[in-house]
Amino acid sequence: MLRKIGLLLAGGIAAIVLFANVGPLVGFALSLVILYYTFKQFLKAKSAGSKIGWALLGLIALSISVANAPAIAAIVAAYVLYVVYKNWTKASHTPKETEDPFANFEKQWNELQKNY
């Protein structure tokens, strides 16, 4: 019971942090895509002018990605939500053994019927 409350509290805080940082997360992802593309184009460029142009565009994309540093908190919060979800489902799927002797007898009887 106390474990479920702790998981619920951790999941709620992580969800709030994740939803509060959705904007920086999108900006961070877009700037990383732009940075990757400019790096690839920089390596393909033949002339010095185009290399300078791609390098400037890459520096702009790098500065945008640094400006969206709160997105790292959103990534950590998403990971915490994943861990909470895994622990929540693991805790809820644990079978409970009953103290009823007839339930155990019925289970063993069914196993014997399957074997013969």
Side-chain angles (χ1 to χ4, degrees), residues 69-89:
I72 296 171
I75 293 169
V76 171
Y79 178 73
V80 168
L81 275 175
Y82 171 74
V83 169
V84 165
Y85 174 75
K86 294 296 273 185
N87 285 332
W88 187 277
T89 56

Side-chain angles (χ1 to χ4, degrees), residues 12-116:
I13 292 170
I16 290 169
V17 169
L18 178 65
F19 289 129
N21 292 315
V22 167
L25 187 63
V26 171
F28 187 68
L30 287 175
S31 65
L32 287 181
V33 167
I34 293 170
L35 188 60
Y36 175 76
Y37 180 73
T38 56
F39 180 71
K40 288 294 191 178
Q41 292 302 317
F42 176 80
L43 292 179
K44 288 181 186 177
K46 301 284 186 211
S47 68
S50 61
K51 281 193 180 271
I52 291 172
W54 286 115
L56 286 176
L57 190 60
L59 287 174
I60 292 170
L62 183 65
S63 66
I64 292 171
S65 63
V66 168
N68 288 313
I72 296 171
I75 293 169
V76 171
Y79 178 73
V80 168
L81 275 175
Y82 171 74
V83 169
V84 165
Y85 174 75
K86 294 296 273 185
N87 285 332
W88 187 277
T89 56
K90 182 175 70 171
S92 66
H93 287 301
T94 56
K96 304 250 187 213
E97 290 294 326
T98 60
E99 296 296 324
D100 186 19
F102 296 108
N104 194 23
F105 173 76
E106 289 293 327
K107 185 175 78 171
Q108 289 178 351
W109 182 256
N110 288 333
E111 288 177 6
L112 284 173
Q113 292 294 328
K114 288 180 189 175
N115 290 337
Y116 297 106

